[in-house]
Amino acid sequence: MAEQNNIATNESNPYLDLILLAMTLVFKDVSQVSLKQAEVINLLHTAATELKNNPDLKINAFKGHSESNLKVGKTATLLDLYAEHAAEYNYNQSFIELASDNAVHESIQEILDNLIDCENKDIIHLFKSNALSCAIENFLRNLLKASGIVIKDIKDLIKNAKMQQAKFVTPDSLYFPSQIRAALKTN
């Protein structure tokens, strides 16, 4: 394994760890980490593209039971933020349809290097926006499709994503940036 920016990349498939990091950002509460929204969006779109382009990719991060330990009344994860935003549109609008450009113009290394906002470490920068919701939706659609789950509509997407979230186990083999690792230990 080669190590880059505190994230170990799997040499046989360097994008698998990127996908696992994206899953962690969507499914786990990393609200104590100051992330740059633009880089989170880029990371999610890049991971979604990799899932779409590699339909045979095997992801072993769903284990356990579908027990829900979600915090009610608090937006704690990107999935929660997406569900809250979708509810504002009565679950009738795909954010992918609202987005104009999903192309990522940065390398994976640039995204990873710029993901954490070290200059504003005490300020959380993630907020509801069509661009962020588009990236989350794009990633979830491709992740669920890769898992063999067919989605009918936005409500179904959220329901199935929450079931997968309840079974998601953060892989021990992935070396997250220290700030994300610390946030995951507090949950």
Side-chain angles (χ1 to χ4, degrees):
M1 288 208 184
E3 189 162 329
Q4 300 174 342
N5 194 37
N6 296 324
I7 296 179
T9 56
N10 182 336
E11 291 174 2
S12 62
N13 188 343
Y15 291 96
L16 182 59
D17 288 341
L18 180 74
I19 292 166
L20 292 171
L21 177 58
M23 291 170 69
T24 300
L25 293 178
V26 170
F27 290 146
K28 297 293 184 178
D29 180 1
V30 291
S31 60
Q32 302 86 355
V33 181
S34 183
L35 300 170
K36 292 181 181 175
Q37 185 153 335
E39 299 307 326
V40 170
I41 291 168
N42 286 340
L43 185 142
L44 292 174
H45 281 306
T46 302
T49 299
E50 187 61 27
L51 284 164
K52 184 178 182 178
N53 292 340
N54 288 303
D56 298 329
L57 190 63
K58 301 290 182 236
I59 301 169
N60 288 329
F62 297 116
K63 299 178 176 106
H65 306 286
S66 294
E67 299 168 6
S68 181
N69 58 355
L70 302 174
K71 299 171 187 170
V72 178
K74 178 186 174 204
T75 301
T77 67
L78 288 179
L79 177 54
D80 296 332
L81 189 71
Y82 171 76
E84 185 179 293
H85 200 194
E88 291 174 7
Y89 286 85
N90 294 319
Y91 306 101
N92 292 324
Q93 180 66 51
S94 169
F95 291 98
I96 293 173
E97 295 168 3
L98 297 176
S100 58
D101 181 22
N102 294 339
V104 176
H105 304 290
E106 290 179 283
S107 71
I108 299 299
Q109 192 59 51
E110 288 173 316
I111 293 169
L112 296 176
D113 288 343
N114 296 317
L115 183 62
I116 296 174
D117 189 352
C118 296
E119 294 175 13
N120 297 302
K121 62 183 177 185
D122 297 327
I123 302 168
I124 305 303
H125 293 282
L126 298 178
F127 54 92
K128 275 187 279 187
S129 73
N130 289 348
L132 180 59
S133 290
C134 171
I136 295 167
E137 182 179 329
N138 186 23
F139 175 71
L140 288 173
R141 284 183 181 275
N142 283 287
L143 178 66
L144 294 175
K145 184 177 182 182
S147 301
I149 300 170
V150 178
I151 302 301
K152 296 181 288 191
D153 55 27
I154 300 298
K155 278 187 177 181
D156 195 40
L157 172 72
I158 293 167
K159 180 184 113 191
N160 280 286
K162 287 193 181 260
M163 287 192 294
Q164 296 303 317
Q165 177 184 34
K167 297 187 290 184
F168 177 69
V169 176
T170 307
D172 291 330
S173 61
L174 183 63
Y175 298 99
F176 294 101
S178 59
Q179 290 174 310
I180 294 175
R181 216 175 22 248
L184 292 173
K185 288 181 183 177
T186 62
N187 294 328

